[in-house]
Amino acid sequence: MERIPADPALEAQPNFESMAYRGWLNALIDGGATRENAIAQMTEGWRLERQERIDLWQQQVEEEARELQERAEHEKAEKEAEEQEERREAEKKKPKINDFDSETPVADVIIPRPSQYAIQKIKNMEYVELWYFSPDGCREAAITSRSTSDSDDAFGFAKVDGIVALKTIASFKASQKALQDHDLSWQKTLLCYAGFIRREWHDRLAQNQGFNIGIINNALYNTLSNDVWETEHDESLKLVRSS
């Protein structure tokens, strides 16, 4: 339907006796109507035609109003969806704490935490001395962490997979007090075995020659056990001679 540019109800009735309507008026008179009846017919015809256009105008106004409302509702829905998405993204970025059981107290034993250096080594599947997970190593990590409260916020450059990246300094700073696995004093035989095979396991992995570290090699264990016993025997003899 062609759009109606203005409200037909505002139109004034034409002057049907003017020159613009002279032909139509004369045609009606020639058809047998009086002048008064001809003007009345012309007026009624114009009124009916105008009423049709008024009805179409009202439909057009209602249709345009409905389209405007639908457009406004659509824009409002889009804006609300964008705001909801922004709130969702902002909520994701907020620091969150996991839920907890209000009836559960702290455990009887608190497991010491190793240093960030040792943890990062484990994440990278790299060799790290067992000392870092010993009581001495965890105690050293706790002392170092307390003495440098902002250590977790300090960053340095490190090369990761050929790319230079920022990492916390604590994650790649080794302890000067760390001991080699075979130098640990407790459970020497087992620790020596674990230390040697862990070092060998990492070296072989780098050469794509990895083995199952969970299978105990009794021959290697016995050899290391004898070495430890001989070392302790020699140290005991030295102590006896010096006394």
Side-chain angles (χ1 to χ4, degrees), residues 15-172:
N15 181 7
F16 294 113
E17 294 183 280
S18 65
M19 289 297 297
Y21 296 92
R22 182 65 58 84
W24 185 13
L25 179 61
N26 291 335
L28 293 175
I29 292 174
D30 293 341
T34 64
R35 186 179 186 84
E36 289 76 12
N37 287 339
I39 293 175
Q41 291 180 29
M42 294 172 69
T43 301
E44 181 64 15
W46 170 82
R47 188 189 65 78
L48 293 175
E49 187 272 338
R50 187 185 70 155
Q51 186 59 49
E52 290 180 359
R53 289 188 293 114
I54 289 175
D55 293 341
L56 293 174
W57 167 264
Q58 188 62 35
Q59 293 177 15
Q60 176 179 290
V61 169
E62 293 175 356
E63 181 66 25
E64 290 178 350
R66 184 165 54 252
E67 290 177 357
L68 287 175
Q69 182 178 0
E70 290 177 354
R71 188 181 302 115
E73 291 176 353
H74 180 70
E75 292 176 353
K76 181 181 179 181
E78 283 187 340
K79 184 177 180 181
E80 290 178 350
E82 291 177 359
E83 292 176 350
Q84 185 176 2
E85 183 64 23
E86 290 176 357
R87 287 193 296 269
R88 188 181 297 110
E89 290 299 323
E91 189 67 23
K92 289 180 181 178
K93 296 177 181 179
K94 286 183 180 179
K96 292 181 177 60
I97 184 171
N98 293 335
D99 197 9
F100 62 92
D101 186 352
S102 60
E103 303 297 328
T104 302
V106 66
D108 296 335
V109 177
I110 298 178
I111 301 176
R113 295 180 55 128
S115 66
Q116 286 295 321
Y117 169 79
I119 294 175
Q120 191 63 40
K121 285 285 189 179
I122 295 297
K123 289 181 178 180
N124 294 339
M125 297 294 292
E126 298 176 356
Y127 171 81
V128 61
E129 291 80 0
L130 288 174
W131 176 87
Y132 286 98
F133 305 95
S134 69
D136 290 340
C138 293
R139 191 179 304 112
E140 172 67 15
I143 295 173
T144 303
S145 178
R146 286 196 298 268
S147 63
T148 55
S149 58
D150 60 342
S151 60
D152 290 340
D153 297 328
F155 289 84
F157 290 102
K159 195 171 185 180
V160 181
D161 296 332
I163 301 174
V164 176
L166 280 174
K167 295 176 62 177
T168 56
I169 292 178
S171 66
F172 57 85

